[in-house]
Amino acid sequence: MTIDVNGTTLAYNVQGAGRPIVLVHGFPLDSRIWVATAAILARSMRVFCLDLRGFGESAPVDSFSMRDLANDVAEAAEKLKIAPCPMAGLSMGGYVLQTLAKYRPEAISHLILVDTKAEADSAEGRAKREAMARDALQKGTKAVADAMAPNMLGAAPDPAVVGELRTIMESQRPETLAAASLAMRDREDFTPFLPTLRIPLRLIYGTQDTISPLSIGQAIQQRVPGSQLFPIDNAGHLAPMEQPEAVADAILRSV
Ligand code: MLT
């Protein structure tokens, strides 16, 4: 299915019945990272999985900011008449949802951050984003997938998950990956914002995540009164692909 928002067209799928929830993917990925987790959640919830602008089956775009991505999700939830509802975002999806929670709080009832960060990029991190944007445009999607793949999964990944992850990464458009790298480079520091949140904050982290380690989730939990942390064993950065039952269980206990 598709929905028109903010001058672009997003692809999404919906399954199940009951309370709605929106799941937002990371980089350089699309909504397929949520397939296994969404199937479990759909036994008791109405689960919406979106492809962010430019990603997956959504319409091609050349450049965008984190605010654009957040506005798209907020507007989609409003148009689908499910706002405010719980939303879970993995990694870049977590940056999108922190932006949404800050600037479009009317759209979200529970913020569930999965394997993500609150801080902005360091100067070194920003330079790496620029290099990745250049690589995406000059060398193509596969160069980005090659750079990211070794860090995405836990210590002993399931070969089927490795293959599926490759398929998802290699099917993204280079222009989208360049635009998203620059949007992540320019994202703001949400560290001061999170303790001011007026909605429940839940944190889900693979214990083997080396991109957004569990220690980041622990630091956020300590700073945000009432927040709750769910460590996911035997999972790296892509906990929803690696341990969908445990991630779905943590989400169901969060909403
Ligand atoms: C992601 O999974 O979305 C990315 O690892 C986020 C990032 O590079 O900061």
Side-chain angles (χ1 to χ4, degrees), residues 16 31 53 75 96 118 144 154 182 188 194 206 216 227-228 242:
S31 58
R53 65 165 64 195
E75 196 175 315
V96 172
V144 174
L182 299 181
E188 65 184 277
L194 288 180
I216 290 184
S227 62
Q228 218 176 331
E242 299 179 87

Side-chain angles (χ1 to χ4, degrees):
M1 276 179 275
T2 61
I3 185 165
D4 293 336
V5 290
N6 298 324
T8 191
T9 303
L10 303 186
Y12 73 99
N13 64 71
V14 55
Q15 56 186 311
R19 275 182 81 189
I21 184 166
V22 173
L23 305 179
V24 183
H25 63 82
F27 171 94
L29 305 163
D30 64 33
S31 58
R32 286 174 287 177
I33 66 158
W34 288 109
V35 165
T37 305
I40 300 167
L41 292 176
R43 293 176 199 148
S44 57
M45 299 188 81
R46 193 153 50 110
V47 188
F48 292 80
C49 295
L50 299 174
D51 285 341
L52 293 168
R53 65 165 64 195
F55 288 89
E57 302 289 319
S58 289
V61 286
D62 283 342
S63 83
F64 49 81
S65 66
M66 208 49 75
R67 287 285 284 271
D68 292 326
L69 298 180
N71 284 334
D72 292 349
V73 177
E75 196 175 315
E78 280 157 13
K79 275 194 152 180
L80 292 164
K81 302 201 184 315
I82 57 171
C85 69
M87 298 191 185
L90 180 132
S91 202
M92 182 184 73
Y95 310 153
V96 172
L97 293 187
Q98 290 174 86
T99 310
L100 184 153
K102 182 167 177 182
Y103 296 104
R104 301 288 295 265
E106 70 285 354
I108 184 167
S109 66
H110 298 66
L111 175 58
I112 303 167
L113 298 178
V114 186
D115 294 309
T116 193
K117 298 177 187 131
E119 285 85 6
D121 281 352
S122 63
E124 187 193 351
R126 287 168 59 85
K128 283 189 185 157
R129 300 287 189 198
E130 284 159 23
M132 186 161 281
R134 270 196 308 276
D135 282 353
L137 295 177
Q138 288 170 8
K139 300 181 188 164
T141 294
K142 190 166 178 306
V144 174
D146 287 345
M148 301 278 306
N151 304 317
M152 295 295 252
L153 299 171
D158 177 341
V161 171
V162 174
E164 175 63 6
L165 181 58
R166 265 281 166 186
T167 302
I168 297 171
M169 290 196 292
E170 292 189 9
S171 64
Q172 306 307 319
R173 298 177 193 89
E175 296 78 10
T176 304
L177 303 189
S181 294
L182 299 181
M184 290 193 285
R185 174 197 66 183
D186 295 339
R187 77 185 190 279
E188 65 184 277
D189 178 9
F190 291 103
T191 313
F193 163 67
L194 288 180
T196 72
L197 262 185
R198 299 280 173 93
I199 57 172
L201 174 65
R202 301 293 178 253
L203 305 153
I204 300 176
Y205 281 73
T207 57
Q208 298 171 354
D209 188 348
T210 54
I211 296 178
S212 304
L214 178 62
S215 57
I216 290 184
Q218 290 164 333
I220 296 174
Q221 190 205 5
Q222 277 165 16
R223 278 197 304 268
V224 182
S227 62
Q228 218 176 331
L229 173 66
F230 298 92
I232 306 293
D233 287 335
N234 301 314
H237 192 55
L238 269 294
M241 289 184 80
E242 299 179 87
Q243 298 298 338
E245 292 87 2
V247 171
D249 182 60
I251 291 175
L252 289 171
R253 287 161 61 195
S254 298
V255 298

